[in-house]
Amino acid sequence: MTKLNHLATSVRLSITNPKAESGSVFGRGVANLCLGVRDKGSLNAAAKGMGMAYSKAWRIVKDTEKALGIDLLIRDGAHGSVLSPAGNQLVDSYFTIQEKISQEALKLYQELNA
C-alpha cells in the first residue's frame, strides 16, 4: 500500500440559511472580505486588498446578507463601513469552526493513513 502520510486535508466550511431562496452562502471569500472591512474600515479598501472590484464586493455582501437574513456591515457613506455585531460574531464563529474542523480532519486523516 502506498504511504499517504505526506498529504494533508482541506475542508471548506460554509454557513447557510436553510430557509433562504438564494444559494448564497457565507464561506471563505465572504469571511475574508469581512475581515478586510474589519481591518481597513471600508468595503472598498477590503475589495481592493483582495483584487476585487468594489461593485462585485458590494453585490456579494448584499446577496449574502439577503440569504442569511442579517446585516453583515454597518455602512456610513463616505466614512466607510464596519462589521455589524452579527457580522463580527459570524466572522469569529466561522474562523473558529474552520480551524477546529481543519485540525480534526487532519488528525483523522493521519490516523487513517498511519
Side-chain angles (χ1 to χ4, degrees), residues 11-90:
V11 179
R12 293 188 177 264
L13 173 67
S14 61
I15 298 172
T16 64
N17 178 354
K19 296 179 181 180
E21 293 178 20
S22 167
S24 292
V25 300
F26 187 91
R28 173 65 91 174
V30 181
N32 285 337
L33 194 55
C34 287
L35 276 183
V37 171
R38 182 189 282 172
D39 294 342
K40 298 176 187 203
S42 82
L43 182 58
N44 190 30
K48 285 181 182 177
M50 293 177 69
M52 181 186 304
Y54 172 76
S55 59
K56 181 176 181 180
W58 175 256
R59 186 177 69 252
I60 289 169
V61 168
K62 291 305 290 176
D63 290 348
T64 304
E65 287 178 331
K66 183 177 178 186
L68 298 181
I70 62 168
D71 289 332
L72 296 172
L73 305 181
I74 298 171
R75 295 151 187 90
D76 189 16
H79 297 101
S81 299
V82 295
L83 291 181
S84 68
N88 269 306
Q89 184 177 359
L90 185 59

